[in-house]
Amino acid sequence: SEDGEWIDLRNQLAIRVDLSGWTLRCGVDFTFPAGTFIAGGGYVTISNTAGPGLGPFTGNLDNDGETIRLHDNSGRLMDKLDYGDSGDWPVGADGSGATLAKIDERSADAGPANWIASSDLGGTPGVSNFPVAGQAPTVHNLIALDADWTYRDTVTAPPADWAQSGFDDSAWGS
């Protein structure tokens, strides 16, 4: 959604890189502030909101596809991505809440064959798109298994706001 768009950049070098004055251009516009560094092998996230990472950038990522360009502080084109939502591009990232995730982060191949819809709804800003071999998986306990659960025992549709955090489900079964 346009309310939570972000771009991750990954430093494929082993050394820290000074991004001061670098820019993102085309669908979005952003200039990296002075003192912005990206660690060797690290990530930097740029978003159009107050979180996650740096920002906000101006503009929007076009859901139909576009080109994003990264320029260094001398204006030299350092990288670009032409993404889309048709042809060989993964359809799962088109409006589902999944993000485009680069399969091989070390590869210079920016074509659609090296991209997939993220398996994590909302993506993985600031970290690797996929688990590293030999690394323990990250476990997110959203609700304890022994917690009380509520349910709605009816065949009619629930109210439109039933999934909102402040919804009163006290009339539902438990």
Side-chain angles (χ1 to χ4, degrees):
S1 99
E2 293 176 0
D3 294 335
E5 296 182 332
W6 51 269
I7 299 169
D8 263 348
L9 300 179
R10 181 172 184 263
N11 180 359
Q12 296 181 351
L13 303 174
I15 60 170
R16 182 174 82 152
V17 174
D18 183 358
L19 296 177
S20 302
W22 287 40
T23 60
L24 287 171
R25 295 290 179 251
C26 289
V28 301
D29 286 305
F30 181 77
T31 301
F32 289 86
T36 303
F37 292 87
I38 182 172
Y43 298 86
V44 64
T45 302
I46 308 95
S47 71
N48 68 339
T49 63
L54 300 173
F57 59 69
T58 58
N60 292 78
L61 298 171
D62 190 332
N63 292 334
D64 294 330
E66 66 186 317
T67 300
I68 301 170
R69 290 184 171 85
L70 175 67
H71 297 269
D72 71 8
N73 57 6
S74 299
R76 178 178 167 213
L77 180 64
M78 300 303 290
D79 203 356
K80 76 172 189 166
L81 172 65
D82 296 303
Y83 70 92
D85 73 342
S86 61
D88 293 333
W89 285 95
V91 296
D94 187 14
S96 69
T99 60
L100 279 175
K102 195 170 184 185
I103 296 169
D104 182 354
E105 296 175 347
R106 296 165 300 193
S107 170
D109 179 9
N114 196 26
W115 292 83
I116 192 168
S118 173
S119 59
D120 292 339
L121 194 61
T124 56
V127 296
S128 178
N129 293 324
F130 307 102
V132 177
Q135 178 181 350
T138 302
V139 177
H140 299 281
N141 292 321
L142 300 179
I143 300 173
L145 291 175
D146 60 350
D148 289 332
W149 293 71
T150 58
Y151 62 93
R152 189 164 183 267
D153 192 14
T154 180
V155 295
T156 60
D161 63 341
W162 77 271
Q164 301 302 315
S165 61
F167 179 76
D168 180 10
D169 63 357
S170 60
W172 292 13
S174 177

